[in-house]
Amino acid sequence: MYEVTVDAGFSSGHYLRNYFGKCENPHGHNYKVRVTLAGRELDETGLLLDFKLLKNILRPVIDRIDHQMLNDLEPFIELNPSAENLARYFYDQTNQELAEMTGGRVRVKDCTIWETDTTTATYYE
């Protein structure tokens, strides 16, 4: 099995519904996202997926939420914009693009979101 990983960053605001404490109030984070891909076969160039292509897949996902209030955007209008749900959001969005691009040869292994330098949430299936 091969893996490749790319890190990216974005800044967004959010607040947590059904939470009692400081995080129920609007606030922001400088997030970091790490996406790791996995697959058994390399392409004809000897790559699982070019890092540049993975960055290009992530760019529209990040651009959509960067410098936005997450609670005002789908799916976070209903879904709490927790780090856990953000990790799944990146997982799902990236996997959808990869399935179309690689015909299922490459999949997302996991996505990790850093809300701070010392706190992370990871989603995988």
Side-chain angles (χ1 to χ4, degrees):
M1 187 68 76
Y2 298 95
E3 293 182 5
V4 296
T5 300
V6 166
D7 291 350
F10 61 98
S11 299
S12 296
H14 76 149
Y15 57 90
L16 297 178
R17 299 174 200 93
N18 302 313
Y19 182 92
F20 303 101
K22 288 182 180 182
C23 293
E24 69 184 312
N25 299 313
H27 63 283
H29 296 283
N30 293 317
Y31 292 95
K32 181 172 131 181
V33 58
R34 174 172 288 159
V35 177
T36 299
L37 308 182
R40 294 192 181 283
E41 298 174 23
L42 301 179
D43 66 13
E44 60 279 351
T45 308
L47 304 173
L48 182 64
L49 190 78
D50 189 324
F51 292 121
K52 182 179 176 182
L53 283 176
L54 179 52
K55 289 177 183 179
N56 288 342
I57 291 170
L58 287 175
R59 180 55 33 214
V61 181
I62 289 171
D63 286 348
R64 182 174 177 268
I65 63 176
D66 189 36
H67 285 80
Q68 300 294 319
M69 176 58 78
L70 296 174
N71 298 71
D72 296 340
L73 303 173
E74 287 292 342
F76 304 110
I77 291 171
E78 297 290 327
L79 186 66
N80 228 0
S82 63
E84 293 87 343
N85 284 329
L86 274 169
R88 173 132 193 212
Y89 176 75
F90 273 93
Y91 181 98
D92 290 342
Q93 295 293 308
T94 307
N95 235 1
Q96 182 178 342
E97 282 294 317
L98 281 173
E100 294 172 17
M101 181 183 289
T102 70
R105 181 180 63 82
V106 180
R107 65 175 178 81
V108 178
K109 178 185 175 199
D110 58 48
C111 287
T112 298
I113 295 286
W114 276 258
E115 206 172 69
T116 70
D117 289 341
T118 60
T119 59
T120 66
T122 300
Y123 182 82
Y124 62 93
E125 293 181 358

